[in-house]
Amino acid sequence: MLPMRFDNLYSHDFARLAVGVPMCRVADPAFNAEQTIALLHQAAAEGAAVVAFPELGLSAYSCDDLFHQRALLDGCEAALAAVVAATQDLPTVAIVGMPLRVEHRLFNCAVVLLRGRILGVVPKTFLPNYGEFYEARQFCSGEEATLATVTLLRQQVPFGSRQVFAAEDLPLLRLHVEICEDVWTPIPPSSFAALAGATVLVNLSASNVVIGKAGYRRQLVSQQSARCLAAYVYSSAGAGESTTDLAWDGQALISENGELLVESERFVRRSQLVTADVDLERLARERMRQTSFGDSVRLHASYVSGFRHVPFKLALDRDQPLALRRRVERFPYVPADHSRRDERCQEVYNIQVQGLTQRLASSGIHKLIVGISGGLDSTHALLVAARAMDALGLPRTNIIGVTMPGFATGERTRQQALRLMAAVGCEAREIDIRPSCTQMLQDIGHPHRDDQPVYDITFENVQAGERTSHLFRLANLSGGLVLGTGDLSELALGWCTYGVGDHMSHYNVNASVPKTLIQHLVRWVAETGQLGAGTDTQVLLDILGTEISPELIPGSLQSTEATVGAYALQDFNLFYTLRHGYAPAKIAFLARHAWGEVYALAEIKRVLCIFVQRFFKGSQFKRSCVPNAPKVGSGGSLSPRGDWRAPSDSEAVVWLADLDRVPDERA
């Protein structure tokens, strides 16, 4: 493994990509090269590994029959020589567009440059010859090329559309280039390139603007990046192109796996550069995870095998810090778009309610038993249960809510449990479990029988077990199902009592919902009046303001987060472990970027260490036998029947070793 500068984005398989939209002059290659070189130097100064420029950018796209003039073609080659010279000491791949003569024919080409070398030339495959386009009048398709190598500026260089340019010192960076119309076809060349291993798909485009076209480009680029599980870099011609019959908006886009990362300003009369940091590991991980991608490689193997891989070395400076320029959500499980909050929250509830109503309908059981602690998880489960009864046309009194105070139950949470059940309108019961717990402790010979203040794990789990035992027996008595309340975060950390404890239920609606999302959902119900007019929604806000605690040890306010770490960080750790399979050092890098203003890197590392030890080493046996529960989000679940299958006796050594790469302070 290469030495790692922790605070350099390239150490974590990110790559900074750039698109330059230079001012241009029609048929003035020297001016166009000058503008291109200025943006190239800017991209390199900003740490970009790749910068793409517009289609036919050295000549301008709108030259029409001037493309057949020798003076213009010679001028473009001279301009290319200037750009090549400008790349001599830059660790940035530049991709420029120009017309190129090959074997007495003219091709619309992209030229790939690095450190004074021409890595390859890619001709355009599909030539639009409809509407305002007449490219077949001037150019030949790359499919008509008979040479695999051409001489350009006294260099022998690969020529053809089936090329993947592979960075040896950034192995996940593999480039493919196509030109404008290529991506507008039913099967773009980049689709096959992705199957051949390209992770960054580059499109040199000119693309005049008409009403509605900008939105269509966004969709096209985002969808191609999603289908190919790739980054897609799209350039477009801007100010300076001929407006004899057309107009130009200079739209540049960078998308990653369906997500638009950046877009240039449109209709500006100046050169501009946009950059985005692309997560190459995410793309590689998704391709590995989605077996249909591999199936597509197999299906098209004969064509894909014809791709040529052209190696190069960026020789990036990794000894200097290079901060990430990318939005990393602090709460990856929580809807980030506030304008769509209601829709997303409603969707979560609908998924949980659908799972529960189907289970009740298929079992023929019409009653639910829910243990109500006055805390978050049981509150959310009760809200889901109420909605399920509404959906089935059954009274909410078919829900038996039971609060079961133990040795350390606070009056605040007890009252919150009672108020919540009253607000929902379920049947409310209270069972004091202290007598049965005392009997159990006496039966097993625990020191508590002699009034000794020994508050060990046995003392705690006896209470958790008695609560669950009461719920199951009450379910037998009333002909109902015990509804589980434990959430995804607790399963990940093993923060549940195994077997006869909060680990077990007949059906659990919360098992794939993390703590931070439950907090968000409960707040949404309170703020939007989902319980109905005239109900006590303040109880939901009071529950949200209550310290998360198991309340099992007398005389002590047990803080769950003091033991397992802040749930905000642990849910962050879980998402990037479960959904993306990232190693701890990268997760810490992302967490520092997202949470650095709140938590020091040392604290991020400490909490991540707790996660690694509990998740990989200490708690899989609990996840191997969890009750049925509906999967809610793309962030994954931990059911052994769904997203996560793992041995119960694995080690955490490799994850802890990777975590050691994280410094305690910024470095």
Side-chain angles (χ1 to χ4, degrees):
M1 185 175 292
L2 292 172
M4 184 184 82
R5 169 95 193 193
F6 179 75
D7 57 1
N8 186 302
L9 65 92
Y10 286 102
S11 296
H12 304 281
D13 290 313
F14 287 96
R16 181 161 295 162
L17 309 179
V19 185
V21 184
M23 287 285 292
C24 76
R25 291 179 184 170
V26 177
D28 189 349
F31 175 85
N32 297 336
E34 179 184 314
Q35 298 296 307
T36 297
I37 290 168
L39 290 178
L40 168 60
H41 281 288
Q42 182 183 342
E46 294 188 25
V50 180
V51 58
F53 296 96
E55 176 184 14
L56 296 170
L58 294 185
S59 58
Y61 176 82
S62 49
C63 289
D64 290 329
D65 287 351
L66 299 183
F67 283 122
H68 282 184
Q69 294 289 312
R70 176 175 177 174
L72 178 61
L73 299 177
D74 287 348
C76 287
E77 291 194 16
L80 177 65
V83 179
V84 171
T87 68
Q88 185 67 50
D89 298 318
L90 302 180
T92 303
V93 175
I95 308 169
V96 298
M98 64 176 289
L100 186 65
R101 293 164 288 191
V102 178
E103 291 287 286
H104 315 298
R105 287 176 292 175
L106 191 64
F107 293 89
N108 179 346
C109 293
V111 186
V112 184
L113 315 171
L114 176 66
R115 294 188 178 276
R117 290 178 51 219
I118 300 174
L119 299 179
V121 178
V122 179
K124 188 172 183 176
T125 299
F126 295 96
L127 304 177
N129 218 50
Y130 56 86
E132 62 264 45
F133 304 110
Y134 296 92
E135 286 189 34
R137 178 183 174 95
Q138 288 95 27
F139 299 103
C140 296
S141 166
E143 290 297 298
E144 300 175 31
T146 57
L147 297 178
T149 304
V150 297
T151 301
L152 183 57
L153 302 182
R154 295 186 297 278
Q155 297 184 39
Q156 292 288 316
V157 298
F159 181 77
S161 60
R162 281 191 270 177
Q163 297 186 69
V164 173
F165 301 91
E168 294 180 323
D169 49 352
L170 191 60
L172 297 182
L173 177 61
R174 298 186 178 186
L175 303 169
H176 174 265
V177 185
E178 61 188 4
I179 301 175
C180 200
E181 184 76 8
D182 290 347
V183 77
W184 297 68
T185 59
I187 306 178
S190 57
S191 295
F192 294 110
L195 299 181
T199 52
V200 175
L201 312 175
V202 179
N203 187 306
L204 304 196
S205 179
S207 190
N208 66 295
V209 65
V210 293
I211 294 171
K213 195 172 186 180
Y216 188 81
R217 289 193 202 112
R218 291 186 200 101
Q219 292 179 352
L220 189 67
V221 167
S222 293
Q223 285 300 311
Q224 184 64 359
S225 73
R227 282 193 300 270
C228 293
L229 300 175
Y232 201 95
V233 178
Y234 181 89
S235 67
S236 191
E241 289 282 358
S242 173
T243 56
T244 300
D245 291 298
L246 303 173
W248 314 86
D249 63 344
Q251 186 180 31
L253 307 162
I254 302 177
S255 186
E256 175 188 306
N257 195 21
E259 178 185 356
L260 184 63
L261 299 182
V262 69
E263 178 176 354
S264 66
E265 293 183 64
R266 298 169 58 221
F267 301 110
V268 296
R269 290 199 58 78
R270 67 177 187 278
S271 296
Q272 59 177 319
L273 183 85
V274 296
T275 66
D277 294 346
V278 169
D279 190 343
L280 300 175
E281 184 183 0
R282 176 193 181 198
L283 302 173
R285 159 75 177 174
E286 286 301 294
R287 291 180 177 186
M288 182 173 63
R289 188 178 74 92
Q290 294 188 24
T291 55
S292 52
F293 186 89
D295 290 341
S296 297
V297 175
R298 175 179 51 79
L299 184 64
H300 298 286
S302 60
Y303 188 86
V304 169
S305 63
F307 274 82
R308 182 173 9 178
H309 288 252
V310 180
F312 65 90
K313 287 186 178 180
L314 288 165
L316 292 160
D317 181 4
R318 300 196 189 198
D319 293 330
Q320 299 299 319
L322 188 61
L324 191 65
R325 293 180 186 171
R326 179 184 175 99
R327 182 177 178 84
V328 177
E329 297 294 342
R330 287 181 172 180
F331 300 100
Y333 289 105
V334 175
D337 185 354
H338 291 288
S339 65
R340 298 184 59 197
R341 185 190 69 158
D342 289 4
E343 176 187 344
R344 292 288 300 276
C345 289
Q346 190 67 59
E347 186 79 351
V348 172
Y349 274 107
N350 284 342
I351 292 169
Q352 292 179 282
V353 169
Q354 195 276 331
L356 181 55
T357 54
Q358 172 61 23
R359 178 52 55 95
L360 291 171
S362 64
S363 66
I365 295 173
H366 296 154
K367 285 195 174 184
L368 291 171
I369 290 81
V370 190
I372 308 299
S373 68
L376 275 169
D377 293 344
S378 61
T379 295
H380 181 62
L382 183 58
L383 295 174
V384 172
R387 287 192 173 208
M389 290 302 171
D390 295 344
L392 290 170
L394 297 171
R396 292 185 180 181
T397 50
N398 279 23
I399 305 168
I400 301 175
V402 189
T403 185
M404 293 171 280
F407 296 118
T409 301
E411 188 58 22
R412 171 172 177 162
T413 52
R414 176 177 172 274
Q415 288 300 323
Q416 284 173 178
L418 295 173
R419 288 168 58 200
L420 175 66
M421 291 186 284
V424 168
C426 67
E427 180 181 339
R429 298 190 188 183
E430 182 172 8
I431 299 175
D432 185 345
I433 63 166
R434 286 173 294 184
S436 57
C437 288
T438 298
Q439 183 64 52
M440 173 68 76
L441 291 167
Q442 289 177 349
D443 291 345
I444 64 174
H446 189 272
H448 184 268
R449 69 179 180 178
D450 299 322
D451 295 325
Q452 296 183 35
V454 177
Y455 305 128
D456 55 9
I457 190 67
T458 303
F459 182 84
E460 295 185 59
N461 283 349
V462 161
Q463 294 174 77
E466 282 299 309
R467 286 183 174 124
T468 302
S469 180
H470 277 77
L471 293 175
F472 272 98
R473 301 296 72 80
L474 184 58
N476 295 152
L477 183 64
S478 60
L481 290 180
V482 175
L483 189 65
T485 63
D487 63 45
L488 181 68
S489 309
E490 293 177 341
L491 275 177
L493 296 167
W495 193 251
C496 53
T497 301
Y498 182 77
V500 183
D502 53 322
H503 170 260
M504 193 48 59
S505 63
H506 288 123
Y507 194 74
N508 185 353
V509 290
N510 285 348
S512 71
V513 187
K515 187 78 73 179
T516 51
L517 181 54
I518 286 179
Q519 290 170 323
H520 183 83
L521 291 165
V522 171
R523 187 174 302 280
W524 174 74
V525 171
E527 292 178 349
T528 57
Q530 298 292 313
L531 282 176
T535 56
D536 178 16
T537 57
Q538 181 60 42
V539 65
L540 300 179
L541 299 177
D542 291 343
I543 290 169
L544 284 164
T546 302
E547 175 79 24
I548 299 173
S549 170
E551 292 191 318
L552 295 171
I553 297 179
S556 170
L557 178 58
Q558 288 176 278
S559 170
T560 298
E561 290 180 298
T563 301
V564 302
Y567 276 116
L569 288 178
Q570 295 296 29
D571 282 358
F572 189 96
N573 297 335
L574 174 61
F575 179 84
Y576 285 104
T577 298
L578 181 59
R579 182 65 180 84
H580 294 302
Y582 291 163
K586 182 166 184 174
I587 296 173
F589 176 75
L590 291 169
R592 199 270 305 272
H593 181 70
W595 283 102
E597 295 179 0
V598 180
Y599 299 104
L601 182 58
E603 176 64 8
I604 290 171
K605 182 178 179 180
R606 184 190 73 83
V607 173
L608 183 52
C609 184
I610 293 171
F611 176 85
V612 166
Q613 291 173 321
R614 297 187 72 100
F615 184 81
F616 290 106
K617 173 68 174 173
S619 58
Q620 178 57 37
F621 73 98
K622 297 181 181 181
R623 297 188 290 269
S624 294
C625 54
V626 293
N628 294 173
K631 179 180 175 180
V632 170
S634 61
S637 76
L638 289 171
S639 168
R641 301 170 296 276
D643 287 348
W644 186 253
R645 296 168 177 82
S648 295
D649 47 8
S650 69
E651 299 295 334
V653 176
V654 292
W655 290 273
L656 291 171
D658 189 82
L659 186 60
D660 285 340
R661 302 168 70 206
V662 180
D664 291 331
E665 302 298 335
R666 295 181 184 270

